[in-house]
Amino acid sequence: MEITDKAFDQLAHLSRLQFTDTEKEEIKGDLQRMIAFVEKLEEVDTTGVTPLLHMSSASNVWREDAVKGSVTREDALLNAADADGQFFKVPKVIKK
Amino acid sequence: MSHISDKYEAVIGLEVHAQLATHSKLFCGDATTFGAAPNTQVSPITLGHPGTLPKTNKKAVEYAIKMGLACNCEIEQYNYFARKNYFYPDLPKGYQVSQHTTPICKGGYVTIKTGEETRNVQLNRIHLEEDAGKSIHDIDDQFTCVDYNRAGVPLIEIVTEPDLHSADEAYQYVTEVRRLVRWLNVCDGNMEEGSLRCDANVSIRLKGETKLGTKVEVKNLNSIRNVKKAIEYEIERMIALVEAGGTVKQQTRSFDAGNDTTFAIRDKEEANDYRYFAEPDLAPFHLSDTLISGIRESLPALPVALLAKYQTELGLSEYDAAQLCAEKETAHYYNQVLQHTQLYKAAANFINGPVKQYLNENKLGFEQFTVSPTQLAALLQLVEDGKVNFSVASSRILPAMIAAPEQDALQIATDMNLLQVSDTSELEQWVNIALESMPDKVTEYKKGKKGLIGLFVGEVKKLSKGKADPKLVTTLIQEKLK
């Protein structure tokens, strides 16, 4: 499978990333190699093999419905790019 | 318009999101209380910090199963969560954890009644997912403010097939879903606070056509009335558009409650690409037959079953039965009263009448009603035995019982001097006074105007302040005036 400019731009958009033309060529090459790797794996006949969705064999790992583990608002906002002491602030999502 | 709209059939599918009434979130221990100060119910897991591991809330899974069983769904025994990847500020992790491939409940139906017709609305699925945070657009000119308290709150999304055909059906359906979630205690059903939210997919097609038309999705329907109004508006808008030679565009629209119309918020973008994959951080879960049958056995009698039972076994009218089943608390109370009396019909009348009136007037819920089922049954027996009449029981004794729930009905009636008098000599005195006060009417009665008996009985009732047993009084008067 070839990584076209269209496919590249779509991926970049979905990831909300922007690249210069030089970066783009470089990353396209990387992506191409990653896909080739996966395509190699696809050569294995997996007919009748149940897809492996989880690396661990654990199942039914439950939490009881109890309130615990919250942090203070001050701590919660520590890593925010922008905040006003109450809210996380982000660029306007909708124009009114 | 009606003759033109007769050519078309509306096809509607509804997605109802119900916040599960758990104490903590779906994958971590943050509280889920509505209305808390912004960003005070958040943890590193909610905020999507690196290195955190989510863990599934067992109660949320049980609630989803409860709802599925109540909606006659098949329960998926092998479940896992998936990541739905997209960027939006209210989604801290950059993906929503949802059930893409294996919804916990498959198929099923919800029974609705519109007019005389009862039918089953087919469900596609009910799946578990986490709620997003809340964006607030109007408190800051420059920025959108985000509160992540809601992020991670457990939701079930209840998805119908495109199986509804009018705004009225949609109204009945959402009403029924709300009654069910409340009945099962899995969600408080509060649409104003957003615990229950509804999106409607609406399309039209010519009658007889089997292919679905282009659909529009209407969002932000925060009351059942608005669900109905938005769908009514959409159907009319689409028919007018098509009749004028236009075509319906696939859009997401929003309802404006200010003028009962909808407006486009976005045209269909390039196909969404959510790149679903199994959530590697959460272990899959397997639901055993024992667990499922245990939950099935714990389900309360559902409204549809009670409705039938009240009519066929207890002989109530459909109206009375429906009134009792409108809310879980009412039906529950009625069921308790039935433990203490066989006066089924009288109990239904009294609960649907004076008791509900009292609760409505005082803006109280049934759970705040202080008169015990035993007490109410005793009061009904007093009426049945002719010791007090219905109107005295409802207007005098009931309020006294509410004020003093520890006293029994007979004691109150005795203390307040409200027991009906069936002592003939005392009754005769009132009858004599009454008849003497209106000699003209007595003459008319004797000439054959037998309908006047009601007037005489009424007069005796007045003289006795409601204490005279009306049956005895009637007999006495008839005897006297023979």
Side-chain angles (χ1 to χ4, degrees), chain B residues 218-415:
Chain B
V218 190
K219 292 190 170 283
N220 299 335
L221 304 172
N222 62 358
S223 74
I224 300 183
R225 258 166 51 105
N226 288 353
V227 171
K228 186 176 175 188
K229 285 180 174 172
I231 293 172
E232 275 168 357
Y233 177 82
E234 263 315 297
I235 294 173
E236 276 192 32
R237 185 187 71 85
M238 288 178 176
I239 291 176
L241 187 67
V242 172
E243 281 292 312
T247 44
V248 175
K249 266 203 283 186
Q250 186 167 345
Q251 279 175 332
T252 304
R253 297 177 73 89
S254 184
F255 181 67
D256 183 348
N259 58 11
D260 294 346
T261 62
T262 69
F263 59 95
I265 45 179
R266 53 181 178 263
D267 285 354
K268 182 187 185 294
E269 310 112 285
E270 72 273 30
N272 283 322
D273 184 357
Y274 291 123
R275 294 150 295 147
Y276 289 100
F277 62 88
E279 163 63 279
D281 288 347
L282 284 164
F285 57 95
H286 188 272
L287 305 170
S288 67
D289 291 331
T290 327
L291 178 89
I292 297 170
S293 58
I295 294 176
R296 192 188 294 277
E297 279 155 28
S298 78
L299 288 181
L302 296 174
V304 174
L306 280 184
L307 206 60
K309 180 186 155 184
Y310 289 168
Q311 292 174 73
T312 54
E313 287 178 31
L314 308 183
L316 300 190
S317 71
E318 187 185 344
Y319 178 81
D320 283 346
Q323 289 279 99
L324 290 169
C325 294
E327 283 171 40
K328 176 189 57 187
E329 288 76 15
T330 320
H332 181 68
Y333 189 86
Y334 181 64
N335 286 343
Q336 286 184 305
V337 174
L338 296 186
Q339 306 289 313
H340 305 285
T341 182
Q342 306 224 310
L343 302 168
Y344 310 133
K345 179 82 185 149
N349 284 341
F350 210 84
I351 290 172
N352 287 334
V355 173
K356 270 206 180 147
Q357 194 188 340
Y358 162 79
L359 293 173
N360 290 342
E361 280 168 6
N362 292 281
K363 298 197 166 51
L364 295 174
F366 234 97
E367 63 285 358
Q368 289 154 296
F369 186 52
T370 50
V371 177
S372 75
T374 332
Q375 290 279 54
L376 196 82
L379 176 59
L380 295 171
Q381 197 58 50
L382 288 186
V383 178
E384 172 69 13
D385 295 344
K387 295 208 169 86
V388 297
N389 66 41
F390 181 89
S391 112
V392 163
S394 59
S395 65
R396 309 283 310 274
I397 303 180
L398 180 66
M401 287 171 86
I402 292 166
E406 68 287 352
Q407 287 202 46
D408 75 83
L410 180 60
Q411 192 59 50
I412 289 176
T414 315
D415 291 353

Side-chain angles (χ1 to χ4, degrees), chain A residues 60 63 65 70 73 92-93, chain B residues 24-25 30 56 137 286:
Chain A
N60 294 24
R63 195 173 56 74
D65 182 26
S70 298
R73 177 157 68 193
K92 271 275 184 225
V93 180
Chain B
S24 66
K25 291 185 180 176
D30 294 327
T56 308
H137 307 286
H286 188 272

Side-chain angles (χ1 to χ4, degrees), chain A residues 76-94:
Chain A
L77 296 174
L78 267 183
N79 292 305
D82 196 3
D84 66 358
Q86 280 198 83
F87 292 102
F88 289 80
K89 286 163 75 172
V90 300
K92 271 275 184 225
V93 180
I94 55 168

